[in-house]
Amino acid sequence: MEREPVVTLTAKKTPITVAYGDGIGPEIMDATLRIITEAGAQLDMQRIEIGESVYSRGISNGIEDSSWDSLRRTKVFLKAPITTPQGGGFKSLNVTVRKTLGMYANVRPCASLHPYVSTKHPKMNLVIVRENEEDVYGGIEHRQTEQVTQCLKLISRPGSERIVRYAFEYARANKRPKVTCFTKDNIMKITDGLFHKVFDEIAKEYPDIENEHWIVDIGAAKMADTPEVFDVLVMPNLYGDVLSDVAAQITGSVGLAGSANIGDHCSMFEAIHGSAPRRAGQNLANPSGLFHGALLMLSHIGQGEIAERAHNAWLRTIEDGIHTYDIYKEGVSKEKVGTKEFASAVIERLGQLPQHLAPVEYAKDAHMNVAARAAGPRAAKKHVGVDVFIDFPDGNPDSIAERLSKLDAGGAKLTVISNRGTKVWPSGNPDTFWSDHWSCRFESKNSFSSRDVATIVAAMSDAGFDIVKTEGLYTFDGSRGYSLAQGE
Ligand code: NAD
């Protein structure tokens, strides 16, 4: 069949950085670049080396210093998977790149290809937009007592605004009618509560897009059962980490999904699978995951028309039963092909639309306005007390309270003692389990400051208490900025 001439959207080539990676990486990168170049992608590619060979030169994060210059210059990184060396002393390249270059949004489209790839969810077509930098992923952890460890969950207003706005802008640019937010704000009213509040605020700026919020547990259950009711989903980091893998898996093949890591300055595009070393060098691997990463890249750099052309040709190829070994199925597939032949089959179909699967339509000149808006006025912050956490192995709440009541706490008063978030004094429940980690809350109706914290800490320390941390209690514009203990 005669192919349409290649569409050239822009005469100017967009600079990108390309890494061929390890294992099957070079083969799937070759195939991907062949398809998108034939589709008309205008790219000025600079190649860098990452992964095994770099690790083996003793560079602990798998990327040479000189490669950062290329990433900062081009701001766009198409990356094949790498093999992470076994053993200690090595750092994750992905985490290093994501954190160093501030890639705050992880975007993962998950669409099923029924009946060509088996799935229980033939109508599924959703995109997970995961916050990529905050939440418990700061990795700020402490062991505080013999029995108790903690991990700090940080959710910021600017971080939440940025990811939620990205999700709405993505929905608008990609003609997706709904954005759903998942949080657990019935429990984490302050952290997840902020994320939800920001979602509701920003949703008002997008009256053309439907919005809804689900508590993450029932939302996740619904997504695993009836994913077709969702469209774009936005959520904090941890939920997004787990649920984006679930979503990819239930489309029927993790091997076909790509993902984007988006930052204000630099963005990275890749397959979600690894380097599959056992399949390397045999012309066996399916290039579709990286190809989907490349489609996200083309859309991101304003070459959506090329992405649409390549994507529709790929859908037609899948529909025509031209499959690599990993999705080949007797009775459904027509021809089992290698990596190169699969790429050639897609190239042959450029200009064609799928006949059974829905054709895709990319925004042609979408401009995503993710710039931060001016911050509102600062809230009036008032210091009203302190939680003092102690390591007290053989204590009971009444004896702790009795000892604390004898101390000079400035103008503050001991109001509650809790153990792992549950109130144990005053009027605790005898059935509550006590660990060796106690929180003693002092509150003041009058003026209170860090000096009063110091007074309380000094008095407690002199009395022999082992203080493992203090946490300031504040109100903001008169609203309490701290949680109550369960049972309070
Ligand atoms: P993997 O994703 O490489 O492979 C898992 C299974 O899927 C294997 O059976 C493999 O043969 C198959 N598979 C994966 N991609 C395929 C493709 N494109 N076509 C056909 N079959 C495919 O996971 P793994 O084996 O756990 O990890 C291998 C290496 O990849 C490890 O060193 C791991 O650390 C690394 N890894 C890298 C990345 C990345 O660079 N982003 C991500 C995940 C894993």
Side-chain angles (χ1 to χ4, degrees), residues 24 79 81-84 94 270-279 285-286 325-326:
I24 58 171
K79 174 187 159 290
I82 60 155
T83 304
T84 316
N94 263 23
E270 59 183 342
I272 70 167
H273 60 72
S275 61
R278 284 190 308 119
R279 306 292 181 188
N286 188 342
Y325 83 93
D326 54 312

mmCIF file with all atom_site columns, all heavy atoms in Angstrom, residues 24 79 81-84 94 270-279 285-286 325-326, ligand 1:
data_model
loop_
_atom_site.group_PDB
_atom_site.id
_atom_site.type_symbol
_atom_site.label_atom_id
_atom_site.label_alt_id
_atom_site.label_comp_id
_atom_site.label_asym_id
_atom_site.label_entity_id
_atom_site.label_seq_id
_atom_site.pdbx_PDB_ins_code
_atom_site.Cartn_x
_atom_site.Cartn_y
_atom_site.Cartn_z
_atom_site.occupancy
_atom_site.B_iso_or_equiv
_atom_site.pdbx_formal_charge
_atom_site.auth_seq_id
_atom_site.auth_comp_id
_atom_site.auth_asym_id
_atom_site.auth_atom_id
_atom_site.pdbx_PDB_model_num
ATOM   1   N N   . ILE A 1 24  ? 17.730 -5.199  26.526 1.00 0.00 ? 24  ILE A N   1
ATOM   2   C CA  . ILE A 1 24  ? 16.968 -4.998  25.285 1.00 0.00 ? 24  ILE A CA  1
ATOM   3   C C   . ILE A 1 24  ? 16.910 -3.518  24.884 1.00 0.00 ? 24  ILE A C   1
ATOM   4   O O   . ILE A 1 24  ? 16.365 -3.181  23.828 1.00 0.00 ? 24  ILE A O   1
ATOM   5   C CB  . ILE A 1 24  ? 15.513 -5.529  25.427 1.00 0.00 ? 24  ILE A CB  1
ATOM   6   C CG1 . ILE A 1 24  ? 14.788 -4.819  26.588 1.00 0.00 ? 24  ILE A CG1 1
ATOM   7   C CG2 . ILE A 1 24  ? 15.493 -7.040  25.596 1.00 0.00 ? 24  ILE A CG2 1
ATOM   8   C CD1 . ILE A 1 24  ? 13.292 -5.112  26.657 1.00 0.00 ? 24  ILE A CD1 1
ATOM   9   N N   . LYS A 1 79  ? 14.661 7.748   27.344 1.00 0.00 ? 79  LYS A N   1
ATOM   10  C CA  . LYS A 1 79  ? 15.577 6.831   28.036 1.00 0.00 ? 79  LYS A CA  1
ATOM   11  C C   . LYS A 1 79  ? 15.109 5.385   27.916 1.00 0.00 ? 79  LYS A C   1
ATOM   12  O O   . LYS A 1 79  ? 13.982 5.060   28.265 1.00 0.00 ? 79  LYS A O   1
ATOM   13  C CB  . LYS A 1 79  ? 15.627 7.247   29.508 1.00 0.00 ? 79  LYS A CB  1
ATOM   14  C CG  . LYS A 1 79  ? 16.399 6.322   30.393 1.00 0.00 ? 79  LYS A CG  1
ATOM   15  C CD  . LYS A 1 79  ? 16.248 6.728   31.846 1.00 0.00 ? 79  LYS A CD  1
ATOM   16  C CE  . LYS A 1 79  ? 16.560 5.566   32.732 1.00 0.00 ? 79  LYS A CE  1
ATOM   17  N NZ  . LYS A 1 79  ? 15.552 4.487   32.689 1.00 0.00 ? 79  LYS A NZ  1
ATOM   18  N N   . PRO A 1 81  ? 15.475 1.330   29.117 1.00 0.00 ? 81  PRO A N   1
ATOM   19  C CA  . PRO A 1 81  ? 15.740 0.781   30.460 1.00 0.00 ? 81  PRO A CA  1
ATOM   20  C C   . PRO A 1 81  ? 17.205 0.407   30.654 1.00 0.00 ? 81  PRO A C   1
ATOM   21  O O   . PRO A 1 81  ? 17.913 0.109   29.683 1.00 0.00 ? 81  PRO A O   1
ATOM   22  C CB  . PRO A 1 81  ? 14.861 -0.472  30.502 1.00 0.00 ? 81  PRO A CB  1
ATOM   23  C CG  . PRO A 1 81  ? 14.496 -0.775  29.096 1.00 0.00 ? 81  PRO A CG  1
ATOM   24  C CD  . PRO A 1 81  ? 14.559 0.502   28.333 1.00 0.00 ? 81  PRO A CD  1
ATOM   25  N N   . ILE A 1 82  ? 17.610 0.440   31.894 1.00 0.00 ? 82  ILE A N   1
ATOM   26  C CA  . ILE A 1 82  ? 18.983 0.033   32.218 1.00 0.00 ? 82  ILE A CA  1
ATOM   27  C C   . ILE A 1 82  ? 18.944 -1.136  33.198 1.00 0.00 ? 82  ILE A C   1
ATOM   28  O O   . ILE A 1 82  ? 17.925 -1.393  33.830 1.00 0.00 ? 82  ILE A O   1
ATOM   29  C CB  . ILE A 1 82  ? 19.789 1.189   32.843 1.00 0.00 ? 82  ILE A CB  1
ATOM   30  C CG1 . ILE A 1 82  ? 19.122 1.673   34.137 1.00 0.00 ? 82  ILE A CG1 1
ATOM   31  C CG2 . ILE A 1 82  ? 19.980 2.326   31.873 1.00 0.00 ? 82  ILE A CG2 1
ATOM   32  C CD1 . ILE A 1 82  ? 20.090 2.325   35.069 1.00 0.00 ? 82  ILE A CD1 1
ATOM   33  N N   . THR A 1 83  ? 20.074 -1.818  33.307 1.00 0.00 ? 83  THR A N   1
ATOM   34  C CA  . THR A 1 83  ? 20.209 -2.890  34.296 1.00 0.00 ? 83  THR A CA  1
ATOM   35  C C   . THR A 1 83  ? 20.828 -2.294  35.547 1.00 0.00 ? 83  THR A C   1
ATOM   36  O O   . THR A 1 83  ? 21.896 -1.681  35.478 1.00 0.00 ? 83  THR A O   1
ATOM   37  C CB  . THR A 1 83  ? 21.103 -4.017  33.745 1.00 0.00 ? 83  THR A CB  1
ATOM   38  O OG1 . THR A 1 83  ? 20.531 -4.461  32.510 1.00 0.00 ? 83  THR A OG1 1
ATOM   39  C CG2 . THR A 1 83  ? 21.201 -5.178  34.719 1.00 0.00 ? 83  THR A CG2 1
ATOM   40  N N   . THR A 1 84  ? 20.126 -2.441  36.669 1.00 0.00 ? 84  THR A N   1
ATOM   41  C CA  . THR A 1 84  ? 20.658 -1.908  37.920 1.00 0.00 ? 84  THR A CA  1
ATOM   42  C C   . THR A 1 84  ? 21.592 -2.954  38.519 1.00 0.00 ? 84  THR A C   1
ATOM   43  O O   . THR A 1 84  ? 21.182 -4.101  38.697 1.00 0.00 ? 84  THR A O   1
ATOM   44  C CB  . THR A 1 84  ? 19.507 -1.626  38.917 1.00 0.00 ? 84  THR A CB  1
ATOM   45  O OG1 . THR A 1 84  ? 18.448 -0.988  38.195 1.00 0.00 ? 84  THR A OG1 1
ATOM   46  C CG2 . THR A 1 84  ? 19.946 -0.743  40.051 1.00 0.00 ? 84  THR A CG2 1
ATOM   47  N N   . ASN A 1 94  ? 17.191 6.363   37.979 1.00 0.00 ? 94  ASN A N   1
ATOM   48  C CA  . ASN A 1 94  ? 15.887 7.013   37.777 1.00 0.00 ? 94  ASN A CA  1
ATOM   49  C C   . ASN A 1 94  ? 15.585 8.011   38.878 1.00 0.00 ? 94  ASN A C   1
ATOM   50  O O   . ASN A 1 94  ? 15.163 9.130   38.616 1.00 0.00 ? 94  ASN A O   1
ATOM   51  C CB  . ASN A 1 94  ? 14.780 5.956   37.742 1.00 0.00 ? 94  ASN A CB  1
ATOM   52  C CG  . ASN A 1 94  ? 14.453 5.601   36.321 1.00 0.00 ? 94  ASN A CG  1
ATOM   53  O OD1 . ASN A 1 94  ? 15.280 5.793   35.434 1.00 0.00 ? 94  ASN A OD1 1
ATOM   54  N ND2 . ASN A 1 94  ? 13.268 5.099   36.102 1.00 0.00 ? 94  ASN A ND2 1
ATOM   55  N N   . GLU A 1 270 ? 9.986  7.161   29.095 1.00 0.00 ? 270 GLU A N   1
ATOM   56  C CA  . GLU A 1 270 ? 10.552 5.810   29.086 1.00 0.00 ? 270 GLU A CA  1
ATOM   57  C C   . GLU A 1 270 ? 9.444  4.753   29.058 1.00 0.00 ? 270 GLU A C   1
ATOM   58  O O   . GLU A 1 270 ? 8.267  5.063   29.170 1.00 0.00 ? 270 GLU A O   1
ATOM   59  C CB  . GLU A 1 270 ? 11.440 5.610   30.318 1.00 0.00 ? 270 GLU A CB  1
ATOM   60  C CG  . GLU A 1 270 ? 10.693 5.808   31.622 1.00 0.00 ? 270 GLU A CG  1
ATOM   61  C CD  . GLU A 1 270 ? 11.573 5.679   32.854 1.00 0.00 ? 270 GLU A CD  1
ATOM   62  O OE1 . GLU A 1 270 ? 12.676 5.121   32.765 1.00 0.00 ? 270 GLU A OE1 1
ATOM   63  O OE2 . GLU A 1 270 ? 11.136 6.125   33.910 1.00 0.00 ? 270 GLU A OE2 1
ATOM   64  N N   . ALA A 1 271 ? 9.881  3.485   28.914 1.00 0.00 ? 271 ALA A N   1
ATOM   65  C CA  . ALA A 1 271 ? 8.968  2.344   29.099 1.00 0.00 ? 271 ALA A CA  1
ATOM   66  C C   . ALA A 1 271 ? 8.873  2.092   30.591 1.00 0.00 ? 271 ALA A C   1
ATOM   67  O O   . ALA A 1 271 ? 9.761  2.496   31.341 1.00 0.00 ? 271 ALA A O   1
ATOM   68  C CB  . ALA A 1 271 ? 9.545  1.116   28.410 1.00 0.00 ? 271 ALA A CB  1
ATOM   69  N N   . ILE A 1 272 ? 7.808  1.391   31.025 1.00 0.00 ? 272 ILE A N   1
ATOM   70  C CA  . ILE A 1 272 ? 7.765  1.125   32.471 1.00 0.00 ? 272 ILE A CA  1
ATOM   71  C C   . ILE A 1 272 ? 8.470  -0.186  32.819 1.00 0.00 ? 272 ILE A C   1
ATOM   72  O O   . ILE A 1 272 ? 8.739  -0.448  33.968 1.00 0.00 ? 272 ILE A O   1
ATOM   73  C CB  . ILE A 1 272 ? 6.329  1.167   33.047 1.00 0.00 ? 272 ILE A CB  1
ATOM   74  C CG1 . ILE A 1 272 ? 5.485  -0.019  32.591 1.00 0.00 ? 272 ILE A CG1 1
ATOM   75  C CG2 . ILE A 1 272 ? 5.635  2.460   32.711 1.00 0.00 ? 272 ILE A CG2 1
ATOM   76  C CD1 . ILE A 1 272 ? 4.193  -0.144  33.396 1.00 0.00 ? 272 ILE A CD1 1
ATOM   77  N N   . HIS A 1 273 ? 8.777  -1.006  31.814 1.00 0.00 ? 273 HIS A N   1
ATOM   78  C CA  . HIS A 1 273 ? 9.451  -2.276  32.122 1.00 0.00 ? 273 HIS A CA  1
ATOM   79  C C   . HIS A 1 273 ? 10.963 -2.069  32.228 1.00 0.00 ? 273 HIS A C   1
ATOM   80  O O   . HIS A 1 273 ? 11.477 -0.976  31.971 1.00 0.00 ? 273 HIS A O   1
ATOM   81  C CB  . HIS A 1 273 ? 9.109  -3.339  31.063 1.00 0.00 ? 273 HIS A CB  1
ATOM   82  C CG  . HIS A 1 273 ? 9.531  -2.952  29.681 1.00 0.00 ? 273 HIS A CG  1
ATOM   83  N ND1 . HIS A 1 273 ? 10.857 -2.937  29.300 1.00 0.00 ? 273 HIS A ND1 1
ATOM   84  C CD2 . HIS A 1 273 ? 8.824  -2.561  28.595 1.00 0.00 ? 273 HIS A CD2 1
ATOM   85  C CE1 . HIS A 1 273 ? 10.941 -2.570  28.035 1.00 0.00 ? 273 HIS A CE1 1
ATOM   86  N NE2 . HIS A 1 273 ? 9.718  -2.319  27.580 1.00 0.00 ? 273 HIS A NE2 1
ATOM   87  N N   . GLY A 1 274 ? 11.657 -3.141  32.613 1.00 0.00 ? 274 GLY A N   1
ATOM   88  C CA  . GLY A 1 274 ? 13.107 -3.078  32.783 1.00 0.00 ? 274 GLY A CA  1
ATOM   89  C C   . GLY A 1 274 ? 13.851 -3.541  31.539 1.00 0.00 ? 274 GLY A C   1
ATOM   90  O O   . GLY A 1 274 ? 13.278 -3.604  30.436 1.00 0.00 ? 274 GLY A O   1
ATOM   91  N N   . SER A 1 275 ? 15.117 -3.891  31.723 1.00 0.00 ? 275 SER A N   1
ATOM   92  C CA  . SER A 1 275 ? 16.016 -4.155  30.591 1.00 0.00 ? 275 SER A CA  1
ATOM   93  C C   . SER A 1 275 ? 15.973 -5.599  30.096 1.00 0.00 ? 275 SER A C   1
ATOM   94  O O   . SER A 1 275 ? 16.674 -5.945  29.150 1.00 0.00 ? 275 SER A O   1
ATOM   95  C CB  . SER A 1 275 ? 17.444 -3.801  31.001 1.00 0.00 ? 275 SER A CB  1
ATOM   96  O OG  . SER A 1 275 ? 17.814 -4.614  32.106 1.00 0.00 ? 275 SER A OG  1
ATOM   97  N N   . ALA A 1 276 ? 15.161 -6.445  30.742 1.00 0.00 ? 276 ALA A N   1
ATOM   98  C CA  . ALA A 1 276 ? 14.955 -7.849  30.341 1.00 0.00 ? 276 ALA A CA  1
ATOM   99  C C   . ALA A 1 276 ? 16.224 -8.482  29.762 1.00 0.00 ? 276 ALA A C   1
ATOM   100 O O   . ALA A 1 276 ? 16.232 -8.913  28.611 1.00 0.00 ? 276 ALA A O   1
ATOM   101 C CB  . ALA A 1 276 ? 13.795 -7.927  29.335 1.00 0.00 ? 276 ALA A CB  1
ATOM   102 N N   . PRO A 1 277 ? 17.288 -8.596  30.555 1.00 0.00 ? 277 PRO A N   1
ATOM   103 C CA  . PRO A 1 277 ? 18.579 -9.045  30.009 1.00 0.00 ? 277 PRO A CA  1
ATOM   104 C C   . PRO A 1 277 ? 18.508 -10.397 29.286 1.00 0.00 ? 277 PRO A C   1
ATOM   105 O O   . PRO A 1 277 ? 19.223 -10.602 28.296 1.00 0.00 ? 277 PRO A O   1
ATOM   106 C CB  . PRO A 1 277 ? 19.484 -9.145  31.246 1.00 0.00 ? 277 PRO A CB  1
ATOM   107 C CG  . PRO A 1 277 ? 18.773 -8.444  32.350 1.00 0.00 ? 277 PRO A CG  1
ATOM   108 C CD  . PRO A 1 277 ? 17.335 -8.310  31.993 1.00 0.00 ? 277 PRO A CD  1
ATOM   109 N N   . ARG A 1 278 ? 17.611 -11.277 29.757 1.00 0.00 ? 278 ARG A N   1
ATOM   110 C CA  . ARG A 1 278 ? 17.544 -12.612 29.135 1.00 0.00 ? 278 ARG A CA  1
ATOM   111 C C   . ARG A 1 278 ? 17.045 -12.551 27.697 1.00 0.00 ? 278 ARG A C   1
ATOM   112 O O   . ARG A 1 278 ? 17.247 -13.467 26.911 1.00 0.00 ? 278 ARG A O   1
ATOM   113 C CB  . ARG A 1 278 ? 16.642 -13.534 29.963 1.00 0.00 ? 278 ARG A CB  1
ATOM   114 C CG  . ARG A 1 278 ? 17.314 -14.045 31.241 1.00 0.00 ? 278 ARG A CG  1
ATOM   115 C CD  . ARG A 1 278 ? 16.514 -15.141 31.910 1.00 0.00 ? 278 ARG A CD  1
ATOM   116 N NE  . ARG A 1 278 ? 15.130 -14.775 32.133 1.00 0.00 ? 278 ARG A NE  1
ATOM   117 C CZ  . ARG A 1 278 ? 14.084 -15.425 31.610 1.00 0.00 ? 278 ARG A CZ  1
ATOM   118 N NH1 . ARG A 1 278 ? 14.265 -16.474 30.845 1.00 0.00 ? 278 ARG A NH1 1
ATOM   119 N NH2 . ARG A 1 278 ? 12.848 -15.027 31.855 1.00 0.00 ? 278 ARG A NH2 1
ATOM   120 N N   . ARG A 1 279 ? 16.377 -11.481 27.343 1.00 0.00 ? 279 ARG A N   1
ATOM   121 C CA  . ARG A 1 279 ? 15.837 -11.343 25.982 1.00 0.00 ? 279 ARG A CA  1
ATOM   122 C C   . ARG A 1 279 ? 16.737 -10.500 25.090 1.00 0.00 ? 279 ARG A C   1
ATOM   123 O O   . ARG A 1 279 ? 16.413 -10.287 23.917 1.00 0.00 ? 279 ARG A O   1
ATOM   124 C CB  . ARG A 1 279 ? 14.456 -10.663 26.040 1.00 0.00 ? 279 ARG A CB  1
ATOM   125 C CG  . ARG A 1 279 ? 13.478 -11.326 26.960 1.00 0.00 ? 279 ARG A CG  1
ATOM   126 C CD  . ARG A 1 279 ? 13.079 -12.675 26.443 1.00 0.00 ? 279 ARG A CD  1
ATOM   127 N NE  . ARG A 1 279 ? 12.115 -13.326 27.310 1.00 0.00 ? 279 ARG A NE  1
ATOM   128 C CZ  . ARG A 1 279 ? 11.726 -14.581 27.161 1.00 0.00 ? 279 ARG A CZ  1
ATOM   129 N NH1 . ARG A 1 279 ? 12.232 -15.325 26.192 1.00 0.00 ? 279 ARG A NH1 1
ATOM   130 N NH2 . ARG A 1 279 ? 10.849 -15.105 27.977 1.00 0.00 ? 279 ARG A NH2 1
ATOM   131 N N   . ALA A 1 285 ? 12.407 -8.547  21.673 1.00 0.00 ? 285 ALA A N   1
ATOM   132 C CA  . ALA A 1 285 ? 11.679 -7.660  22.599 1.00 0.00 ? 285 ALA A CA  1
ATOM   133 C C   . ALA A 1 285 ? 10.618 -6.830  21.887 1.00 0.00 ? 285 ALA A C   1
ATOM   134 O O   . ALA A 1 285 ? 10.759 -6.462  20.721 1.00 0.00 ? 285 ALA A O   1
ATOM   135 C CB  . ALA A 1 285 ? 12.665 -6.731  23.298 1.00 0.00 ? 285 ALA A CB  1
ATOM   136 N N   . ASN A 1 286 ? 9.580  -6.532  22.643 1.00 0.00 ? 286 ASN A N   1
ATOM   137 C CA  . ASN A 1 286 ? 8.501  -5.677  22.163 1.00 0.00 ? 286 ASN A CA  1
ATOM   138 C C   . ASN A 1 286 ? 8.911  -4.207  22.414 1.00 0.00 ? 286 ASN A C   1
ATOM   139 O O   . ASN A 1 286 ? 9.128  -3.826  23.561 1.00 0.00 ? 286 ASN A O   1
ATOM   140 C CB  . ASN A 1 286 ? 7.221  -6.003  22.947 1.00 0.00 ? 286 ASN A CB  1
ATOM   141 C CG  . ASN A 1 286 ? 6.006  -5.303  22.395 1.00 0.00 ? 286 ASN A CG  1
ATOM   142 O OD1 . ASN A 1 286 ? 6.121  -4.339  21.652 1.00 0.00 ? 286 ASN A OD1 1
ATOM   143 N ND2 . ASN A 1 286 ? 4.837  -5.787  22.762 1.00 0.00 ? 286 ASN A ND2 1
ATOM   144 N N   . TYR A 1 325 ? 6.587  -11.806 20.587 1.00 0.00 ? 325 TYR A N   1
ATOM   145 C CA  . TYR A 1 325 ? 6.322  -13.057 21.321 1.00 0.00 ? 325 TYR A CA  1
ATOM   146 C C   . TYR A 1 325 ? 5.528  -12.857 22.613 1.00 0.00 ? 325 TYR A C   1
ATOM   147 O O   . TYR A 1 325 ? 4.733  -13.694 23.010 1.00 0.00 ? 325 TYR A O   1
ATOM   148 C CB  . TYR A 1 325 ? 7.658  -13.767 21.645 1.00 0.00 ? 325 TYR A CB  1
ATOM   149 C CG  . TYR A 1 325 ? 8.313  -13.220 22.891 1.00 0.00 ? 325 TYR A CG  1
ATOM   150 C CD1 . TYR A 1 325 ? 8.092  -13.799 24.144 1.00 0.00 ? 325 TYR A CD1 1
ATOM   151 C CD2 . TYR A 1 325 ? 9.130  -12.069 22.844 1.00 0.00 ? 325 TYR A CD2 1
ATOM   152 C CE1 . TYR A 1 325 ? 8.655  -13.270 25.295 1.00 0.00 ? 325 TYR A CE1 1
ATOM   153 C CE2 . TYR A 1 325 ? 9.681  -11.532 23.985 1.00 0.00 ? 325 TYR A CE2 1
ATOM   154 C CZ  . TYR A 1 325 ? 9.444  -12.135 25.203 1.00 0.00 ? 325 TYR A CZ  1
ATOM   155 O OH  . TYR A 1 325 ? 9.984  -11.609 26.334 1.00 0.00 ? 325 TYR A OH  1
ATOM   156 N N   . ASP A 1 326 ? 5.756  -11.720 23.272 1.00 0.00 ? 326 ASP A N   1
ATOM   157 C CA  . ASP A 1 326 ? 5.169  -11.513 24.600 1.00 0.00 ? 326 ASP A CA  1
ATOM   158 C C   . ASP A 1 326 ? 3.649  -11.353 24.548 1.00 0.00 ? 326 ASP A C   1
ATOM   159 O O   . ASP A 1 326 ? 2.966  -11.616 25.548 1.00 0.00 ? 326 ASP A O   1
ATOM   160 C CB  . ASP A 1 326 ? 5.798  -10.278 25.276 1.00 0.00 ? 326 ASP A CB  1
ATOM   161 C CG  . ASP A 1 326 ? 5.698  -9.044  24.395 1.00 0.00 ? 326 ASP A CG  1
ATOM   162 O OD1 . ASP A 1 326 ? 6.041  -9.138  23.201 1.00 0.00 ? 326 ASP A OD1 1
ATOM   163 O OD2 . ASP A 1 326 ? 5.257  -7.996  24.892 1.00 0.00 ? 326 ASP A OD2 1
HETATM 164 P P1  . NAD B 2 .   ? 11.916 -6.588  33.350 1.00 0.00 ? 1   NAD B P1  1
HETATM 165 O O1  . NAD B 2 .   ? 10.794 -5.631  33.149 1.00 0.00 ? 1   NAD B O1  1
HETATM 166 O O2  . NAD B 2 .   ? 13.189 -6.268  32.675 1.00 0.00 ? 1   NAD B O2  1
HETATM 167 O O3  . NAD B 2 .   ? 11.438 -8.038  32.882 1.00 0.00 ? 1   NAD B O3  1
HETATM 168 C C1  . NAD B 2 .   ? 10.315 -8.710  33.474 1.00 0.00 ? 1   NAD B C1  1
HETATM 169 C C2  . NAD B 2 .   ? 9.743  -9.737  32.484 1.00 0.00 ? 1   NAD B C2  1
HETATM 170 O O4  . NAD B 2 .   ? 9.122  -9.084  31.384 1.00 0.00 ? 1   NAD B O4  1
HETATM 171 C C3  . NAD B 2 .   ? 10.786 -10.657 31.874 1.00 0.00 ? 1   NAD B C3  1
HETATM 172 O O5  . NAD B 2 .   ? 10.224 -11.926 31.709 1.00 0.00 ? 1   NAD B O5  1
HETATM 173 C C4  . NAD B 2 .   ? 11.073 -10.058 30.519 1.00 0.00 ? 1   NAD B C4  1
HETATM 174 O O6  . NAD B 2 .   ? 11.516 -10.995 29.603 1.00 0.00 ? 1   NAD B O6  1
HETATM 175 C C5  . NAD B 2 .   ? 9.716  -9.452  30.146 1.00 0.00 ? 1   NAD B C5  1
HETATM 176 N N1  . NAD B 2 .   ? 9.841  -8.201  29.367 1.00 0.00 ? 1   NAD B N1  1
HETATM 177 C C6  . NAD B 2 .   ? 10.140 -6.980  29.854 1.00 0.00 ? 1   NAD B C6  1
HETATM 178 N N2  . NAD B 2 .   ? 10.152 -6.070  28.878 1.00 0.00 ? 1   NAD B N2  1
HETATM 179 C C7  . NAD B 2 .   ? 9.868  -6.736  27.746 1.00 0.00 ? 1   NAD B C7  1
HETATM 180 C C8  . NAD B 2 .   ? 9.743  -6.343  26.384 1.00 0.00 ? 1   NAD B C8  1
HETATM 181 N N3  . NAD B 2 .   ? 9.905  -5.054  26.016 1.00 0.00 ? 1   NAD B N3  1
HETATM 182 N N4  . NAD B 2 .   ? 9.442  -7.278  25.472 1.00 0.00 ? 1   NAD B N4  1
HETATM 183 C C9  . NAD B 2 .   ? 9.254  -8.540  25.833 1.00 0.00 ? 1   NAD B C9  1
HETATM 184 N N5  . NAD B 2 .   ? 9.363  -8.997  27.085 1.00 0.00 ? 1   NAD B N5  1
HETATM 185 C C10 . NAD B 2 .   ? 9.661  -8.093  28.042 1.00 0.00 ? 1   NAD B C10 1
HETATM 186 O O7  . NAD B 2 .   ? 12.127 -6.744  34.925 1.00 0.00 ? 1   NAD B O7  1
HETATM 187 P P2  . NAD B 2 .   ? 13.308 -7.461  35.719 1.00 0.00 ? 1   NAD B P2  1
HETATM 188 O O8  . NAD B 2 .   ? 13.698 -8.732  35.022 1.00 0.00 ? 1   NAD B O8  1
HETATM 189 O O9  . NAD B 2 .   ? 12.843 -7.496  37.105 1.00 0.00 ? 1   NAD B O9  1
HETATM 190 O O10 . NAD B 2 .   ? 14.523 -6.432  35.666 1.00 0.00 ? 1   NAD B O10 1
HETATM 191 C C11 . NAD B 2 .   ? 15.626 -6.520  34.762 1.00 0.00 ? 1   NAD B C11 1
HETATM 192 C C12 . NAD B 2 .   ? 16.547 -5.338  35.004 1.00 0.00 ? 1   NAD B C12 1
HETATM 193 O O11 . NAD B 2 .   ? 15.874 -4.128  34.650 1.00 0.00 ? 1   NAD B O11 1
HETATM 194 C C13 . NAD B 2 .   ? 16.975 -5.175  36.457 1.00 0.00 ? 1   NAD B C13 1
HETATM 195 O O12 . NAD B 2 .   ? 18.334 -4.834  36.494 1.00 0.00 ? 1   NAD B O12 1
HETATM 196 C C14 . NAD B 2 .   ? 16.125 -4.016  36.957 1.00 0.00 ? 1   NAD B C14 1
HETATM 197 O O13 . NAD B 2 .   ? 16.752 -3.327  37.993 1.00 0.00 ? 1   NAD B O13 1
HETATM 198 C C15 . NAD B 2 .   ? 16.035 -3.184  35.702 1.00 0.00 ? 1   NAD B C15 1
HETATM 199 N N6  . NAD B 2 .   ? 14.895 -2.241  35.652 1.00 0.00 ? 1   NAD B N6  1
HETATM 200 C C16 . NAD B 2 .   ? 15.126 -1.051  35.058 1.00 0.00 ? 1   NAD B C16 1
HETATM 201 C C17 . NAD B 2 .   ? 14.093 -0.141  34.922 1.00 0.00 ? 1   NAD B C17 1
HETATM 202 C C18 . NAD B 2 .   ? 14.381 1.173   34.261 1.00 0.00 ? 1   NAD B C18 1
HETATM 203 O O14 . NAD B 2 .   ? 15.454 1.381   33.747 1.00 0.00 ? 1   NAD B O14 1
HETATM 204 N N7  . NAD B 2 .   ? 13.428 2.088   34.235 1.00 0.00 ? 1   NAD B N7  1
HETATM 205 C C19 . NAD B 2 .   ? 12.810 -0.455  35.367 1.00 0.00 ? 1   NAD B C19 1
HETATM 206 C C20 . NAD B 2 .   ? 12.582 -1.714  35.949 1.00 0.00 ? 1   NAD B C20 1
HETATM 207 C C21 . NAD B 2 .   ? 13.647 -2.614  36.077 1.00 0.00 ? 1   NAD B C21 1
#
